[in-house]
Amino acid sequence: MRIRFVQPDGTEKCVNEDPGVSVMVAAIRHGVAGINGDCGGSMDCATCHVYLDEAQSKLVPPPTSHEIDLLSAVVAERRPTSRLSCQLRPFDRSDELIVHVPDAQ
């Protein structure tokens, strides 16, 4: 699975990961700036907030109610496409998932 991380200034970093690996883990493994993941992916902190590309929503399951609750605590603007990257686990190798990194965590 290819994941394209778009930074607030428009620069991009594309990485390849195995299906099922979370976007947060992929970001940390590949040194993507702006995704902290302080809780290690246990859905406790919201420091892995990203904006999912709107057209990409079909590539991942919808957020759980717990994720929605945590998104109320994000530092950057919360948008309809806000997600916790620890909960985004793309499964299809043939597609590219595009996520936008917010300007603050």
Side-chain angles (χ1 to χ4, degrees):
M1 176 62 162
R2 182 178 161 103
I3 305 168
R4 184 183 340 164
F5 294 93
V6 182
Q7 294 293 328
D9 67 1
T11 59
E12 298 181 0
K13 182 170 190 172
C14 295
V15 303
N16 290 306
E17 269 299 343
D18 294 324
V21 171
S22 76
V23 171
M24 182 205 73
V25 168
I28 291 170
R29 280 184 184 169
H30 297 279
V32 175
I35 297 179
N36 301 341
D38 291 345
C39 72
S42 63
M43 203 163 53
D44 263 349
C45 67
T47 61
C48 64
H49 175 222
V50 295
Y51 303 116
L52 183 59
D53 190 79
E54 210 169 307
Q56 305 274 301
S57 62
K58 66 184 175 299
L59 297 177
V60 296
T64 64
S65 59
H66 185 62
E67 181 181 354
I68 292 168
D69 288 345
L70 279 172
L71 286 167
S72 66
V74 296
V75 174
E77 173 191 6
R78 182 178 175 183
R79 299 179 185 167
T81 59
S82 286
R83 294 295 305 267
L84 298 180
S85 63
C86 67
Q87 299 304 298
L88 296 174
R89 289 180 173 81
F91 290 97
D92 188 345
R93 277 192 173 278
S94 65
D95 291 314
E96 176 183 62
L97 186 68
I98 303 166
V99 295
H100 298 264
V101 178
D103 57 4
Q105 286 290 350

